[in-house]
Amino acid sequence: MAEVRVAEHAGACYGVERALELAWGAVDSSDDDICTLGPLIHNPRVVSSLDAMGAHVVDRVEDAAGRTLILRTHGVTPDEERRARELCPKVIDATCPFVKRVHVEVERLTRDGYEVVIVGEAGHPEVVATLGHAPSAHIISNALEVPYARLGNRVGVVVQTTQKREILDAVVEAIRAQGVEPIVKDTICTATRERQDETAQLAEAVDAMVVLGGHNSSNTTRLTEICAARCERTFHVESPAELSAEWFEGCDVVGVTAGASTPEDQIAALVAVLEQL
Ligand code: SF4
């Protein structure tokens, strides 16, 4: 049986814990139907347990009309928030404060006359919400896309809170290579930074890495990429049921990390299974 080492800051971050407390509080204190606009966090197991408690996912603000609506950690566009406040008797804003900071930065850059670049994944809910705060912004996911954006000479850069620093640095370098010195607002959140740095160190010191978190979670996917670049045997799972003993044959030390939307009890359950393999 291999030794199991867990990254110190693995698991639920400040923004996710805050959102869960708001949601649990809403469910406990209300007999009314409660909705979340999209999944509250990118963890399907937590989302289905919230559903069982009475907090149901809706895809559109209109589907929550007349009910309490929780705005999820990834944030919403200004238009969605306006419609939510018009249609719902109670709106609980669980947007992570680090995501709100990105909204403030893009609005400020736009006001100051900068062309805004959002370094992130097009279509990710956080990026969609941020784009709502700066509709003419360019979304750039990697340095190769920079020439296609046809940027002017007054450029401001923000970054999706869960992005990898190397991607931000490469995009900024590619903009500089076009003769433009951008203003850069590094909006990668503290939780992401800590988890990525620790995960990189751990992945270099073990024989196999297990990354626990939603397959739809951006920050978990980034952790998996970081591990895979340093540890050949890297596995991204959403639950302990996906583990296979064969993966760890011949391993002396197995590392565990977890995405920012993974609660502590899910990590403990994974470690318990790993220790029995
Ligand atoms: S990963 Fe960062 S931005 Fe996202 S919810 Fe957690 S603290 Fe907030």
Side-chain angles (χ1 to χ4, degrees):
M1 189 172 59
E3 177 195 343
V4 179
R5 275 187 216 161
V6 182
E8 193 188 340
H9 286 97
C13 61
Y14 162 74
V16 164
E17 282 180 351
R18 177 177 171 273
L20 287 173
E21 274 165 26
L22 286 169
W24 290 328
V27 169
D28 281 349
S29 65
S30 171
D31 294 331
D32 297 337
D33 221 0
I34 289 172
C35 312
T36 67
L37 185 58
L40 184 70
I41 60 173
H42 275 157
N43 183 313
R45 293 163 70 198
V46 171
V47 170
S48 79
S49 95
L50 281 169
D51 184 69
M53 292 166 74
H56 310 296
V57 176
V58 294
D59 293 327
R60 302 175 322 135
V61 172
E62 285 66 25
D63 297 332
R67 301 191 271 175
T68 294
L69 179 63
I70 306 176
L71 307 179
R72 60 179 167 176
T73 47
H74 306 96
V76 292
T77 66
D79 182 53
E80 282 174 318
E81 181 161 1
R82 180 186 54 73
R83 282 185 286 131
R85 297 200 185 276
E86 279 170 11
L87 294 172
C88 302
K90 187 168 181 189
V91 175
I92 298 171
D93 190 355
T95 305
C96 176
F98 288 105
V99 173
K100 291 250 189 205
R101 184 186 155 219
V102 190
H103 299 170
V104 169
E105 295 290 9
V106 295
E107 285 172 359
R108 189 177 293 150
L109 287 166
T110 305
R111 222 174 23 244
D112 292 346
Y114 288 92
E115 209 172 335
V116 175
V117 167
I118 303 168
V119 180
E121 297 163 69
H124 184 280
E126 180 190 318
V127 174
V128 171
T130 302
L131 190 60
H133 291 261
S136 57
H138 304 268
I139 300 170
I140 292 183
S141 66
N142 63 62
L144 297 175
E145 293 175 10
V146 169
Y148 300 101
R150 299 180 180 280
L151 299 169
N153 56 10
R154 205 169 150 77
V155 176
V157 179
V158 299
V159 54
Q160 186 179 349
T161 54
T162 50
Q163 270 298 331
K164 284 193 291 186
R165 167 163 310 284
E166 306 95 85
I167 292 181
L168 171 64
D169 291 346
V171 168
V172 169
E173 272 316 304
I175 295 172
R176 286 190 181 129
Q178 300 202 323
V180 177
E181 184 57 44
I183 286 203
V184 181
K185 304 290 178 185
D186 178 354
T187 47
I188 295 172
C189 79
T190 314
T192 296
R193 212 185 311 264
E194 277 172 356
R195 280 157 182 72
Q196 290 185 353
D197 291 349
E198 282 175 11
T199 293
Q201 281 178 20
L202 183 59
E204 277 168 8
V206 299
D207 303 305
M209 274 300 295
V210 180
V211 185
L212 178 64
H215 289 300
N216 59 350
S217 157
S218 169
N219 75 82
T220 310
T221 304
R222 298 290 87 76
L223 290 177
T224 306
E225 291 167 358
I226 287 166
C227 291
R230 293 163 175 81
C231 177
E232 206 176 313
R233 286 204 247 181
T234 290
F235 308 99
H236 175 182
V237 298
E238 206 166 90
S239 86
E242 293 168 53
L243 294 173
S244 164
E246 289 170 15
W247 298 349
F248 308 105
E249 269 171 20
C251 290
D252 292 324
V253 186
V254 175
V256 171
T257 190
S261 41
T262 308
E264 194 61 41
D265 59 332
Q266 292 186 6
I267 300 172
L270 179 98
V271 170
V273 172
L274 272 175
E275 286 176 343
Q276 296 307 315
L277 288 178

